[in-house]
Structure formats: C-alpha cells, structure tokens
Amino acid sequence: MIQQHRKSAGGRSLRSGPVLRGRLWVEFARTAAFTEAGADLLEQIAACGSLSEAARRLRFSYRRAWMLIDAMNRYWPRPLAKTAVGGKRGGGTRLTELGRQVLSSYRDLQVQLEHLLDQASPGFLAILPDRDMK
Amino acid sequence: MIQQHRKSAGGRSLRSGPVLRGRLWVEFARTAAFTEAGADLLEQIAACGSLSEAARRLRFSYRRAWMLIDAMNRYWPRPLAKTAVGGKRGGGTRLTELGRQVLSSYRDLQVQLEHLLDQASPGFLAILPDRDMK
C-alpha cells in the first residue's frame, strides 16, 4: 500500500487535510494474483532467502505467508518463488526470474502512482479553502 | 473501482493474461473519507436528486447509502451532500459545491490512473512470454 511508503517519507500522513491514497494489484481471470502484501513478501524473501524469516519480518503468520506464496504460484503461469529441497541450507526459498521481474515492475508502477498522487494532491487541497461557502 | 470502468469498456477484463488494477481514495486523519462507492453514490444523487433512488440504482441498501453520506459529511470540513427539508419535493438530496468539486477531482484522478495502468500493461504482459524458462 502506498500509505506505507508515505509514512516513512517524513510523516506527511500526520497532516489533517485530505490525503490521496492508492493501491495497485494484478489480476488473472478477475482474481487478485499479486498484491502489496505479495510484493512485500517476495521482497523479504529476496532479502533473506527464507520464507519463515520473511514472514517474521513482516509479522505475517507462517501459514499466511505460505498460503500467499502458494496462491501466487498457482495464479501465475509459472511460480514466482521456489523452495529448495535438501542442500546445506535445505528449505530456503528464492525468487524465480519471473518473480523478480513481476516484483520490479510492480514497484516501478507504485512509484508512478505515488508520483501521480503527489501531483494531484495540490488540486485536492485547493478545493477546500472556503470555495463551498458561497 | 477502476475495474468497473474497464468492464464497460469493451470486455477487456475477460482476457486471461495479467490485468493491472488500481483503486483510489481520500483520507482524513488516516480514515477513508472518499471512496469509489462514495463517488458512485454522489454521482447518482447528482443525477436523480434523491438518496433513496440513488441507493436503488446502485443496489445499496438505503441504510448503507445513508451511512455512507453521513460518514463523508462528517469526515470533510463541510458536507458533500445535503438533504432538503420541506418544499414541493421535500426530502430530496443534492450535492453541495464542495461535493461536486470533490467528485469531479476524484473522477479526473481515476482517468489518470486508468491511463497509467493502460500504459504499464504492455510491460507486464511482456514479462511472461517464456523469459523465466531459461
């Protein structure tokens, strides 16, 4: 959610005027197949290589994180993340090339949406000062 | 919701590839004060001058429509819609100047978001063709 980016960007969300918000997602067959939560989860998996650690960092239950990955992997034609079996670090999870590309494209689009909202905000703020008191 | 505009714009939502979706809202003090449902309701009130008729057209319960208007009117510094008392058509509801301006600005922003999603869609579609099969 864009809101999260804004919170970390100087506390703008504390102002009392109207604040524009937006949310993006990707659907297959009218079902949400990639959401902000999915993006956050993939990002943490890319950072730490572990589904359980990624879930912990996001304060998701392991079950929620597992189901989110499982759903994304089923909605997309090919998986966005894969769990390795065996090996020294057996059980690690990593993004596929598709997962990396979807995450990157989604974040790019979020930045564009933030830009759109930032540009539109002055117009919304300008509505308020006493224009409707005529 | 942008989805509704797309459904009416040639059935593009029937395709099976990834479809980008977005939603916009306006917050005051971190509370949603203007949403897609609120915009739809104001639009119908502007068209027919009656809250109950607007609710019927949108298949909202009267209670839901009333509460939505009441909440919007409380979150914004001044009301977005007002109910007339008495007169020939007593009980009619109309938008205030503020309501008209907020609705118009919100719809403008939705069009810009649609444009952004349309422009970004080819990039999302291009991710899929076999790039992750290497």
CSV table of all heavy atoms in Angstrom, one decimal, chain A residues 1 13 16-28 30 78 98 101 105-106 109 112 116 120 124 127-128 130 132-133, chain B residues 1 13 16-28 30 78 98 101 105-106 109 112 116 120 124 127-128 130 132-133:
chain,number,residue,atom,x,y,z
A,1,MET,N,0.8,-1.2,0.0
A,1,MET,CA,0.0,0.0,0.0
A,1,MET,C,0.9,1.2,0.0
A,1,MET,O,1.9,1.3,0.7
A,1,MET,CB,-0.8,0.0,1.3
A,1,MET,CG,-2.2,0.6,1.1
A,1,MET,SD,-3.1,0.2,2.7
A,1,MET,CE,-3.5,1.9,3.1
A,13,SER,N,1.7,11.9,6.5
A,13,SER,CA,0.3,11.4,6.8
A,13,SER,C,-0.2,11.9,8.1
A,13,SER,O,-1.4,11.7,8.4
A,13,SER,CB,0.3,9.8,6.8
A,13,SER,OG,1.2,9.4,7.8
A,16,SER,N,-3.6,17.1,8.6
A,16,SER,CA,-5.0,16.9,8.8
A,16,SER,C,-5.9,17.1,7.5
A,16,SER,O,-7.1,16.7,7.5
A,16,SER,CB,-5.6,17.8,9.9
A,16,SER,OG,-5.3,19.1,9.5
A,17,GLY,N,-5.3,17.6,6.5
A,17,GLY,CA,-6.1,17.8,5.2
A,17,GLY,C,-6.3,16.5,4.5
A,17,GLY,O,-5.9,15.5,5.0
A,18,PRO,N,-7.0,16.6,3.4
A,18,PRO,CA,-7.2,15.3,2.6
A,18,PRO,C,-5.9,14.8,2.1
A,18,PRO,O,-5.1,15.5,1.6
A,18,PRO,CB,-8.1,15.8,1.5
A,18,PRO,CG,-7.9,17.3,1.4
A,18,PRO,CD,-7.5,17.8,2.7
A,19,VAL,N,-5.7,13.5,2.2
A,19,VAL,CA,-4.5,12.8,1.6
A,19,VAL,C,-5.0,11.8,0.6
A,19,VAL,O,-5.9,10.9,0.9
A,19,VAL,CB,-3.8,12.1,2.8
A,19,VAL,CG1,-2.5,11.4,2.2
A,19,VAL,CG2,-3.4,13.1,3.8
A,20,LEU,N,-4.4,11.8,-0.6
A,20,LEU,CA,-4.8,10.9,-1.6
A,20,LEU,C,-4.0,9.6,-1.4
A,20,LEU,O,-2.8,9.6,-1.2
A,20,LEU,CB,-4.4,11.4,-3.0
A,20,LEU,CG,-5.1,12.8,-3.4
A,20,LEU,CD1,-4.6,13.2,-4.8
A,20,LEU,CD2,-6.6,12.6,-3.3
A,21,ARG,N,-4.8,8.5,-1.5
A,21,ARG,CA,-4.2,7.1,-1.4
A,21,ARG,C,-4.5,6.3,-2.6
A,21,ARG,O,-5.5,6.5,-3.3
A,21,ARG,CB,-4.7,6.4,-0.2
A,21,ARG,CG,-4.5,7.1,1.1
A,21,ARG,CD,-3.1,7.0,1.6
A,21,ARG,NE,-3.0,7.6,2.9
A,21,ARG,CZ,-1.8,8.0,3.4
A,21,ARG,NH1,-0.8,7.9,2.7
A,21,ARG,NH2,-1.8,8.4,4.7
A,22,GLY,N,-3.7,5.3,-2.8
A,22,GLY,CA,-3.9,4.4,-4.0
A,22,GLY,C,-3.4,3.0,-3.7
A,22,GLY,O,-2.5,2.9,-2.9
A,23,ARG,N,-3.9,2.1,-4.4
A,23,ARG,CA,-3.5,0.7,-4.2
A,23,ARG,C,-3.5,0.1,-5.6
A,23,ARG,O,-4.4,0.3,-6.4
A,23,ARG,CB,-4.4,0.0,-3.2
A,23,ARG,CG,-3.9,-1.5,-3.0
A,23,ARG,CD,-4.9,-2.1,-1.9
A,23,ARG,NE,-4.7,-1.5,-0.6
A,23,ARG,CZ,-5.4,-1.8,0.4
A,23,ARG,NH1,-6.5,-2.6,0.3
A,23,ARG,NH2,-5.2,-1.3,1.6
A,24,LEU,N,-2.5,-0.8,-5.8
A,24,LEU,CA,-2.4,-1.5,-7.1
A,24,LEU,C,-2.4,-3.0,-6.9
A,24,LEU,O,-1.9,-3.5,-5.9
A,24,LEU,CB,-1.1,-1.1,-7.8
A,24,LEU,CG,-0.9,0.4,-8.1
A,24,LEU,CD1,0.6,0.6,-8.5
A,24,LEU,CD2,-1.8,0.8,-9.3
A,25,TRP,N,-2.9,-3.7,-7.9
A,25,TRP,CA,-2.8,-5.2,-7.8
A,25,TRP,C,-2.9,-5.7,-9.2
A,25,TRP,O,-3.3,-5.0,-10.2
A,25,TRP,CB,-3.8,-5.8,-6.9
A,25,TRP,CG,-5.2,-5.7,-7.3
A,25,TRP,CD1,-6.0,-6.7,-7.9
A,25,TRP,CD2,-6.1,-4.6,-7.0
A,25,TRP,NE1,-7.3,-6.2,-8.1
A,25,TRP,CE2,-7.4,-5.0,-7.6
A,25,TRP,CE3,-6.0,-3.4,-6.5
A,25,TRP,CZ2,-8.5,-4.1,-7.5
A,25,TRP,CZ3,-7.1,-2.5,-6.4
A,25,TRP,CH2,-8.3,-2.9,-6.9
A,26,VAL,N,-2.5,-7.0,-9.4
A,26,VAL,CA,-2.6,-7.6,-10.7
A,26,VAL,C,-3.5,-8.8,-10.6
A,26,VAL,O,-3.5,-9.5,-9.6
A,26,VAL,CB,-1.2,-8.2,-11.1
A,26,VAL,CG1,-1.2,-8.8,-12.5
A,26,VAL,CG2,-0.1,-7.1,-11.0
A,27,GLU,N,-4.4,-8.9,-11.6
A,27,GLU,CA,-5.4,-10.0,-11.6
A,27,GLU,C,-5.2,-10.9,-12.7
A,27,GLU,O,-4.7,-10.5,-13.8
A,27,GLU,CB,-6.8,-9.4,-11.7
A,27,GLU,CG,-7.3,-8.6,-10.6
A,27,GLU,CD,-8.8,-8.1,-10.7
A,27,GLU,OE1,-9.4,-8.4,-11.8
A,27,GLU,OE2,-9.3,-7.5,-9.8
A,28,PHE,N,-5.5,-12.2,-12.5
A,28,PHE,CA,-5.7,-13.2,-13.6
A,28,PHE,C,-7.1,-13.6,-13.4
A,28,PHE,O,-7.6,-14.0,-12.3
A,28,PHE,CB,-4.8,-14.4,-13.4
A,28,PHE,CG,-3.4,-14.1,-13.9
A,28,PHE,CD1,-2.4,-13.6,-13.1
A,28,PHE,CD2,-3.1,-14.4,-15.2
A,28,PHE,CE1,-1.1,-13.4,-13.5
A,28,PHE,CE2,-1.8,-14.2,-15.7
A,28,PHE,CZ,-0.8,-13.7,-14.9
A,30,ARG,N,-9.9,-12.1,-13.2
A,30,ARG,CA,-10.6,-11.4,-12.2
A,30,ARG,C,-10.3,-11.8,-10.7
A,30,ARG,O,-11.0,-11.4,-9.8
A,30,ARG,CB,-12.1,-11.5,-12.4
A,30,ARG,CG,-12.6,-10.9,-13.7
A,30,ARG,CD,-14.0,-10.7,-13.8
A,30,ARG,NE,-14.4,-10.2,-15.1
A,30,ARG,CZ,-15.6,-9.9,-15.5
A,30,ARG,NH1,-16.6,-10.2,-14.7
A,30,ARG,NH2,-15.9,-9.4,-16.6
A,78,ARG,N,3.7,-19.5,-14.2
A,78,ARG,CA,4.9,-20.2,-13.6
A,78,ARG,C,5.1,-19.6,-12.2
A,78,ARG,O,4.7,-18.4,-12.0
A,78,ARG,CB,6.1,-20.0,-14.5
A,78,ARG,CG,6.0,-20.9,-15.7
A,78,ARG,CD,7.3,-20.8,-16.6
A,78,ARG,NE,7.2,-19.6,-17.3
A,78,ARG,CZ,6.6,-19.5,-18.5
A,78,ARG,NH1,5.9,-20.5,-19.0
A,78,ARG,NH2,6.6,-18.3,-19.2
A,98,LEU,N,11.0,-14.9,-13.0
A,98,LEU,CA,9.6,-14.3,-13.2
A,98,LEU,C,9.3,-13.5,-11.9
A,98,LEU,O,8.8,-12.4,-12.0
A,98,LEU,CB,8.6,-15.4,-13.5
A,98,LEU,CG,7.1,-14.9,-13.6
A,98,LEU,CD1,7.0,-13.9,-14.8
A,98,LEU,CD2,6.2,-16.0,-13.7
A,101,GLN,N,11.0,-10.2,-11.8
A,101,GLN,CA,10.5,-9.2,-12.8
A,101,GLN,C,9.2,-8.7,-12.4
A,101,GLN,O,8.9,-7.5,-12.6
A,101,GLN,CB,10.5,-9.9,-14.2
A,101,GLN,CG,11.9,-10.1,-14.8
A,101,GLN,CD,11.8,-10.8,-16.2
A,101,GLN,OE1,10.7,-11.1,-16.7
A,101,GLN,NE2,13.0,-10.9,-16.8
A,105,SER,N,8.5,-4.8,-11.7
A,105,SER,CA,7.5,-4.0,-12.5
A,105,SER,C,6.5,-3.4,-11.6
A,105,SER,O,6.0,-2.3,-11.8
A,105,SER,CB,6.9,-4.9,-13.5
A,105,SER,OG,7.9,-5.4,-14.4
A,106,TYR,N,6.1,-4.2,-10.6
A,106,TYR,CA,5.1,-3.7,-9.6
A,106,TYR,C,5.6,-2.5,-8.8
A,106,TYR,O,4.9,-1.5,-8.7
A,106,TYR,CB,4.7,-4.8,-8.7
A,106,TYR,CG,3.6,-4.5,-7.7
A,106,TYR,CD1,2.3,-4.6,-8.0
A,106,TYR,CD2,4.0,-4.1,-6.4
A,106,TYR,CE1,1.3,-4.3,-7.0
A,106,TYR,CE2,3.0,-3.8,-5.4
A,106,TYR,CZ,1.7,-3.9,-5.8
A,106,TYR,OH,0.7,-3.6,-4.8
A,109,LEU,N,5.6,0.6,-10.9
A,109,LEU,CA,4.3,1.1,-11.1
A,109,LEU,C,3.8,1.9,-9.9
A,109,LEU,O,3.2,2.9,-10.0
A,109,LEU,CB,3.3,0.0,-11.5
A,109,LEU,CG,1.9,0.4,-11.9
A,109,LEU,CD1,2.0,1.3,-13.1
A,109,LEU,CD2,1.1,-0.9,-12.2
A,112,GLN,N,5.2,5.3,-9.9
A,112,GLN,CA,4.5,6.1,-10.8
A,112,GLN,C,3.1,6.6,-10.2
A,112,GLN,O,2.7,7.7,-10.4
A,112,GLN,CB,4.2,5.4,-12.1
A,112,GLN,CG,5.5,5.1,-12.9
A,112,GLN,CD,5.2,4.4,-14.2
A,112,GLN,OE1,4.5,4.8,-15.1
A,112,GLN,NE2,5.8,3.2,-14.3
A,116,LEU,N,1.8,10.3,-9.4
A,116,LEU,CA,0.5,10.8,-9.8
A,116,LEU,C,-0.2,11.4,-8.6
A,116,LEU,O,-0.8,12.5,-8.7
A,116,LEU,CB,-0.3,9.6,-10.4
A,116,LEU,CG,-1.7,9.9,-10.8
A,116,LEU,CD1,-1.8,10.9,-11.9
A,116,LEU,CD2,-2.4,8.6,-11.3
A,120,ALA,N,-1.4,15.3,-7.9
A,120,ALA,CA,-2.8,15.6,-7.8
A,120,ALA,C,-3.2,16.2,-6.5
A,120,ALA,O,-4.2,16.9,-6.4
A,120,ALA,CB,-3.7,14.4,-8.1
A,124,PHE,N,-6.5,18.8,-4.9
A,124,PHE,CA,-7.5,18.4,-3.9
A,124,PHE,C,-7.5,19.3,-2.7
A,124,PHE,O,-8.5,19.7,-2.2
A,124,PHE,CB,-7.2,16.9,-3.5
A,124,PHE,CG,-8.0,15.9,-4.2
A,124,PHE,CD1,-7.6,15.4,-5.4
A,124,PHE,CD2,-9.2,15.5,-3.7
A,124,PHE,CE1,-8.3,14.5,-6.1
A,124,PHE,CE2,-10.0,14.5,-4.4
A,124,PHE,CZ,-9.5,14.1,-5.6
A,127,ILE,N,-9.4,22.6,-3.3
A,127,ILE,CA,-10.8,22.5,-3.3
A,127,ILE,C,-11.4,23.2,-2.0
A,127,ILE,O,-12.4,23.8,-2.0
A,127,ILE,CB,-11.4,21.1,-3.4
A,127,ILE,CG1,-11.0,20.5,-4.7
A,127,ILE,CG2,-12.9,21.0,-3.2
A,127,ILE,CD1,-11.4,19.0,-4.8
A,128,LEU,N,-10.6,22.9,-0.9
A,128,LEU,CA,-11.2,23.2,0.4
A,128,LEU,C,-11.4,24.7,0.8
A,128,LEU,O,-12.4,25.0,1.4
A,128,LEU,CB,-10.5,22.4,1.5
A,128,LEU,CG,-11.0,20.9,1.5
A,128,LEU,CD1,-10.1,20.1,2.4
A,128,LEU,CD2,-12.4,20.8,1.9
A,130,ASP,N,-12.7,27.4,1.6
A,130,ASP,CA,-13.9,28.3,1.6
A,130,ASP,C,-14.7,28.4,0.2
A,130,ASP,O,-15.6,29.2,0.1
A,130,ASP,CB,-13.5,29.7,2.0
A,130,ASP,CG,-13.0,29.7,3.4
A,130,ASP,OD1,-13.3,28.6,4.1
A,130,ASP,OD2,-12.3,30.6,3.9
A,132,ASP,N,-16.8,26.4,-1.0
A,132,ASP,CA,-18.1,25.9,-0.9
A,132,ASP,C,-19.0,26.8,0.0
A,132,ASP,O,-20.1,26.4,0.4
A,132,ASP,CB,-18.2,24.5,-0.5
A,132,ASP,CG,-17.6,24.2,0.8
A,132,ASP,OD1,-16.6,24.9,1.1
A,132,ASP,OD2,-18.1,23.4,1.5
A,133,MET,N,-18.5,27.9,0.4
A,133,MET,CA,-19.2,28.7,1.4
A,133,MET,C,-20.0,29.8,0.7
A,133,MET,O,-20.7,30.6,1.3
A,133,MET,CB,-18.3,29.4,2.4
A,133,MET,CG,-17.6,28.3,3.3
A,133,MET,SD,-16.7,29.0,4.7
A,133,MET,CE,-18.1,29.5,5.7
B,1,MET,N,-14.2,1.7,-8.2
B,1,MET,CA,-13.1,0.8,-8.6
B,1,MET,C,-12.9,0.9,-10.1
B,1,MET,O,-13.8,0.9,-10.9
B,1,MET,CB,-13.5,-0.6,-8.2
B,1,MET,CG,-12.3,-1.5,-7.9
B,1,MET,SD,-13.0,-3.0,-7.2
B,1,MET,CE,-12.0,-4.1,-8.2
B,13,SER,N,-11.6,-7.1,-19.5
B,13,SER,CA,-11.3,-7.9,-18.3
B,13,SER,C,-11.5,-9.4,-18.5
B,13,SER,O,-11.2,-10.2,-17.7
B,13,SER,CB,-12.2,-7.5,-17.1
B,13,SER,OG,-13.6,-7.6,-17.5
B,16,SER,N,-7.2,-13.5,-20.5
B,16,SER,CA,-6.7,-14.3,-19.4
B,16,SER,C,-5.3,-13.9,-18.9
B,16,SER,O,-4.9,-14.4,-17.9
B,16,SER,CB,-6.6,-15.8,-19.9
B,16,SER,OG,-5.8,-15.8,-21.1
B,17,GLY,N,-4.6,-13.0,-19.5
B,17,GLY,CA,-3.3,-12.5,-19.1
B,17,GLY,C,-3.5,-11.7,-17.8
B,17,GLY,O,-4.6,-11.5,-17.3
B,18,PRO,N,-2.3,-11.2,-17.3
B,18,PRO,CA,-2.4,-10.3,-16.1
B,18,PRO,C,-3.1,-9.0,-16.5
B,18,PRO,O,-2.8,-8.4,-17.5
B,18,PRO,CB,-0.9,-10.1,-15.8
B,18,PRO,CG,-0.2,-10.4,-17.0
B,18,PRO,CD,-1.0,-11.4,-17.8
B,19,VAL,N,-3.9,-8.6,-15.6
B,19,VAL,CA,-4.6,-7.3,-15.8
B,19,VAL,C,-4.3,-6.4,-14.6
B,19,VAL,O,-4.4,-6.8,-13.4
B,19,VAL,CB,-6.2,-7.5,-15.8
B,19,VAL,CG1,-6.9,-6.1,-16.0
B,19,VAL,CG2,-6.5,-8.4,-17.0
B,20,LEU,N,-3.8,-5.2,-14.8
B,20,LEU,CA,-3.5,-4.3,-13.8
B,20,LEU,C,-4.7,-3.6,-13.3
B,20,LEU,O,-5.5,-3.1,-14.0
B,20,LEU,CB,-2.5,-3.2,-14.3
B,20,LEU,CG,-1.2,-3.8,-14.8
B,20,LEU,CD1,-0.3,-2.6,-15.3
B,20,LEU,CD2,-0.5,-4.6,-13.7
B,21,ARG,N,-4.8,-3.5,-12.0
B,21,ARG,CA,-6.0,-2.8,-11.3
B,21,ARG,C,-5.5,-1.8,-10.3
B,21,ARG,O,-4.4,-1.9,-9.8
B,21,ARG,CB,-6.8,-3.8,-10.6
B,21,ARG,CG,-7.4,-5.0,-11.4
B,21,ARG,CD,-8.5,-4.5,-12.2
B,21,ARG,NE,-9.2,-5.6,-12.9
B,21,ARG,CZ,-9.9,-5.5,-14.0
B,21,ARG,NH1,-10.0,-4.3,-14.6
B,21,ARG,NH2,-10.4,-6.6,-14.5
B,22,GLY,N,-6.3,-0.8,-10.1
B,22,GLY,CA,-6.0,0.2,-9.1
B,22,GLY,C,-7.2,0.8,-8.4
B,22,GLY,O,-8.3,0.7,-9.0
B,23,ARG,N,-7.0,1.3,-7.3
B,23,ARG,CA,-8.1,1.9,-6.5
B,23,ARG,C,-7.6,3.1,-5.8
B,23,ARG,O,-6.4,3.2,-5.4
B,23,ARG,CB,-8.6,0.9,-5.5
B,23,ARG,CG,-9.8,1.4,-4.7
B,23,ARG,CD,-10.3,0.3,-3.8
B,23,ARG,NE,-11.0,-0.8,-4.5
B,23,ARG,CZ,-11.4,-1.9,-3.9
B,23,ARG,NH1,-11.1,-2.1,-2.6
B,23,ARG,NH2,-12.0,-2.8,-4.6
B,24,LEU,N,-8.4,4.2,-5.8
B,24,LEU,CA,-8.0,5.4,-5.2
B,24,LEU,C,-9.0,5.8,-4.1
B,24,LEU,O,-10.2,5.5,-4.2
B,24,LEU,CB,-8.1,6.5,-6.2
B,24,LEU,CG,-7.2,6.4,-7.4
B,24,LEU,CD1,-7.6,7.4,-8.5
B,24,LEU,CD2,-5.7,6.6,-7.0
B,25,TRP,N,-8.5,6.5,-3.1
B,25,TRP,CA,-9.4,7.0,-2.0
B,25,TRP,C,-8.8,8.2,-1.4
B,25,TRP,O,-7.6,8.5,-1.6
B,25,TRP,CB,-9.8,5.9,-1.0
B,25,TRP,CG,-8.7,5.4,-0.1
B,25,TRP,CD1,-8.4,5.8,1.2
B,25,TRP,CD2,-7.8,4.4,-0.4
B,25,TRP,NE1,-7.4,5.1,1.7
B,25,TRP,CE2,-6.9,4.2,0.7
B,25,TRP,CE3,-7.5,3.6,-1.5
B,25,TRP,CZ2,-5.9,3.3,0.8
B,25,TRP,CZ3,-6.5,2.7,-1.5
B,25,TRP,CH2,-5.7,2.5,-0.4
B,26,VAL,N,-9.6,9.0,-0.7
B,26,VAL,CA,-9.1,10.2,0.0
B,26,VAL,C,-9.2,9.9,1.5
B,26,VAL,O,-10.3,9.5,2.0
B,26,VAL,CB,-9.9,11.4,-0.4
B,26,VAL,CG1,-9.3,12.7,0.2
B,26,VAL,CG2,-9.9,11.5,-1.9
B,27,GLU,N,-8.2,10.2,2.3
B,27,GLU,CA,-8.2,10.1,3.7
B,27,GLU,C,-8.2,11.4,4.4
B,27,GLU,O,-7.5,12.4,4.0
B,27,GLU,CB,-7.0,9.2,4.2
B,27,GLU,CG,-7.1,7.8,3.8
B,27,GLU,CD,-6.0,6.9,4.4
B,27,GLU,OE1,-5.1,7.5,5.1
B,27,GLU,OE2,-5.9,5.7,4.1
B,28,PHE,N,-8.8,11.5,5.6
B,28,PHE,CA,-8.6,12.5,6.6
B,28,PHE,C,-8.2,11.8,7.8
B,28,PHE,O,-8.9,10.8,8.3
B,28,PHE,CB,-9.9,13.3,6.9
B,28,PHE,CG,-10.2,14.4,5.9
B,28,PHE,CD1,-10.9,14.1,4.8
B,28,PHE,CD2,-9.7,15.7,6.1
B,28,PHE,CE1,-11.2,15.1,3.8
B,28,PHE,CE2,-10.0,16.7,5.1
B,28,PHE,CZ,-10.7,16.4,4.0
B,30,ARG,N,-6.0,9.6,8.4
B,30,ARG,CA,-5.8,8.1,8.2
B,30,ARG,C,-7.1,7.4,8.1
B,30,ARG,O,-7.1,6.1,8.2
B,30,ARG,CB,-4.9,7.5,9.3
B,30,ARG,CG,-3.5,8.1,9.2
B,30,ARG,CD,-2.6,7.3,10.1
B,30,ARG,NE,-1.3,7.9,10.0
B,30,ARG,CZ,-0.2,7.4,10.7
B,30,ARG,NH1,-0.3,6.3,11.4
B,30,ARG,NH2,1.0,8.0,10.6
B,78,ARG,N,-16.8,20.3,5.5
B,78,ARG,CA,-18.2,20.7,5.2
B,78,ARG,C,-18.8,19.6,4.4
B,78,ARG,O,-18.2,18.8,3.8
B,78,ARG,CB,-18.2,22.0,4.4
B,78,ARG,CG,-17.9,23.2,5.3
B,78,ARG,CD,-17.9,24.5,4.5
B,78,ARG,NE,-16.7,24.7,3.7
B,78,ARG,CZ,-15.6,25.1,4.1
B,78,ARG,NH1,-15.5,25.5,5.4
B,78,ARG,NH2,-14.6,25.3,3.4
B,98,LEU,N,-18.9,21.8,-2.8
B,98,LEU,CA,-17.8,21.0,-2.4
B,98,LEU,C,-17.9,19.6,-2.9
B,98,LEU,O,-17.0,19.0,-3.4
B,98,LEU,CB,-17.6,21.0,-0.9
B,98,LEU,CG,-16.5,20.2,-0.3
B,98,LEU,CD1,-15.1,20.7,-0.8
B,98,LEU,CD2,-16.5,20.1,1.2
B,101,GLN,N,-17.1,19.4,-6.5
B,101,GLN,CA,-15.7,19.5,-6.8
B,101,GLN,C,-14.9,18.3,-6.4
B,101,GLN,O,-14.0,17.9,-7.2
B,101,GLN,CB,-15.2,20.8,-6.1
B,101,GLN,CG,-15.7,22.1,-6.8
B,101,GLN,CD,-15.1,23.3,-6.1
B,101,GLN,OE1,-14.4,23.2,-5.1
B,101,GLN,NE2,-15.4,24.5,-6.7
B,105,SER,N,-12.9,16.0,-9.1
B,105,SER,CA,-11.4,15.8,-9.0
B,105,SER,C,-11.1,14.3,-8.9
B,105,SER,O,-10.1,13.9,-9.4
B,105,SER,CB,-10.9,16.6,-7.8
B,105,SER,OG,-11.2,17.9,-7.9
B,106,TYR,N,-12.0,13.6,-8.1
B,106,TYR,CA,-11.7,12.2,-7.9
B,106,TYR,C,-11.9,11.4,-9.3
B,106,TYR,O,-11.0,10.6,-9.6
B,106,TYR,CB,-12.8,11.6,-6.9
B,106,TYR,CG,-12.6,10.2,-6.6
B,106,TYR,CD1,-11.7,9.7,-5.7
B,106,TYR,CD2,-13.4,9.2,-7.3
B,106,TYR,CE1,-11.6,8.3,-5.4
B,106,TYR,CE2,-13.3,7.9,-7.1
B,106,TYR,CZ,-12.4,7.4,-6.1
B,106,TYR,OH,-12.3,6.1,-5.8
B,109,LEU,N,-8.9,12.1,-11.4
B,109,LEU,CA,-7.7,11.3,-11.0
B,109,LEU,C,-7.9,9.8,-11.4
B,109,LEU,O,-6.9,9.2,-11.8
B,109,LEU,CB,-7.6,11.4,-9.5
B,109,LEU,CG,-6.3,10.8,-8.8
B,109,LEU,CD1,-5.1,11.4,-9.4
B,109,LEU,CD2,-6.4,11.1,-7.3
B,112,GLN,N,-6.7,9.5,-14.9
B,112,GLN,CA,-5.3,9.4,-14.9
B,112,GLN,C,-4.7,8.1,-14.5
B,112,GLN,O,-3.7,7.6,-15.1
B,112,GLN,CB,-4.7,10.6,-14.1
B,112,GLN,CG,-5.0,12.0,-14.6
B,112,GLN,CD,-4.5,13.1,-13.7
B,112,GLN,OE1,-3.3,13.2,-13.5
B,112,GLN,NE2,-5.4,13.8,-13.2
B,116,LEU,N,-2.4,5.5,-16.6
B,116,LEU,CA,-1.2,4.9,-16.1
B,116,LEU,C,-1.2,3.4,-16.2
B,116,LEU,O,-0.2,2.8,-16.7
B,116,LEU,CB,-1.0,5.3,-14.6
B,116,LEU,CG,0.2,4.7,-13.9
B,116,LEU,CD1,1.5,5.2,-14.5
B,116,LEU,CD2,0.1,5.2,-12.4
B,120,ALA,N,1.1,0.9,-18.5
B,120,ALA,CA,2.0,0.0,-17.9
B,120,ALA,C,1.7,-1.5,-18.3
B,120,ALA,O,2.5,-2.4,-18.1
B,120,ALA,CB,2.0,0.1,-16.4
B,124,PHE,N,3.9,-5.4,-18.3
B,124,PHE,CA,3.6,-6.5,-17.5
B,124,PHE,C,3.3,-7.8,-18.4
B,124,PHE,O,3.7,-8.9,-18.0
B,124,PHE,CB,2.3,-6.3,-16.6
B,124,PHE,CG,2.7,-5.8,-15.3
B,124,PHE,CD1,3.0,-4.4,-15.0
B,124,PHE,CD2,2.8,-6.7,-14.2
B,124,PHE,CE1,3.3,-4.0,-13.8
B,124,PHE,CE2,3.1,-6.2,-12.9
B,124,PHE,CZ,3.4,-4.9,-12.7
B,127,ILE,N,6.5,-9.5,-19.6
B,127,ILE,CA,7.3,-10.3,-18.7
B,127,ILE,C,7.1,-11.8,-18.9
B,127,ILE,O,8.0,-12.6,-18.8
B,127,ILE,CB,6.9,-10.0,-17.2
B,127,ILE,CG1,7.2,-8.6,-16.8
B,127,ILE,CG2,7.5,-11.0,-16.2
B,127,ILE,CD1,6.6,-8.2,-15.4
B,128,LEU,N,5.9,-12.1,-19.3
B,128,LEU,CA,5.5,-13.5,-19.3
B,128,LEU,C,6.1,-14.4,-20.4
B,128,LEU,O,6.5,-15.5,-20.1
B,128,LEU,CB,4.0,-13.7,-19.3
B,128,LEU,CG,3.4,-13.4,-17.9
B,128,LEU,CD1,1.9,-13.4,-17.9
B,128,LEU,CD2,3.9,-14.5,-16.9
B,130,ASP,N,7.9,-16.7,-21.7
B,130,ASP,CA,9.0,-17.6,-21.7
B,130,ASP,C,10.3,-17.1,-21.2
B,130,ASP,O,11.3,-17.7,-21.2
B,130,ASP,CB,9.2,-18.2,-23.1
B,130,ASP,CG,8.0,-19.0,-23.6
B,130,ASP,OD1,7.2,-19.3,-22.7
B,130,ASP,OD2,7.9,-19.2,-24.8
B,132,ASP,N,11.2,-16.6,-18.2
B,132,ASP,CA,11.6,-17.3,-17.0
B,132,ASP,C,11.9,-18.8,-17.2
B,132,ASP,O,12.0,-19.5,-16.2
B,132,ASP,CB,10.6,-17.1,-15.9
B,132,ASP,CG,9.3,-17.7,-16.2
B,132,ASP,OD1,8.9,-17.6,-17.4
B,132,ASP,OD2,8.6,-18.2,-15.3
B,133,MET,N,12.0,-19.2,-18.5
B,133,MET,CA,12.2,-20.6,-18.7
B,133,MET,C,13.7,-20.9,-19.0
B,133,MET,O,14.1,-22.0,-19.2
B,133,MET,CB,11.3,-21.1,-19.9
B,133,MET,CG,9.9,-21.0,-19.6
B,133,MET,SD,8.9,-21.8,-20.9
B,133,MET,CE,9.2,-23.5,-20.6
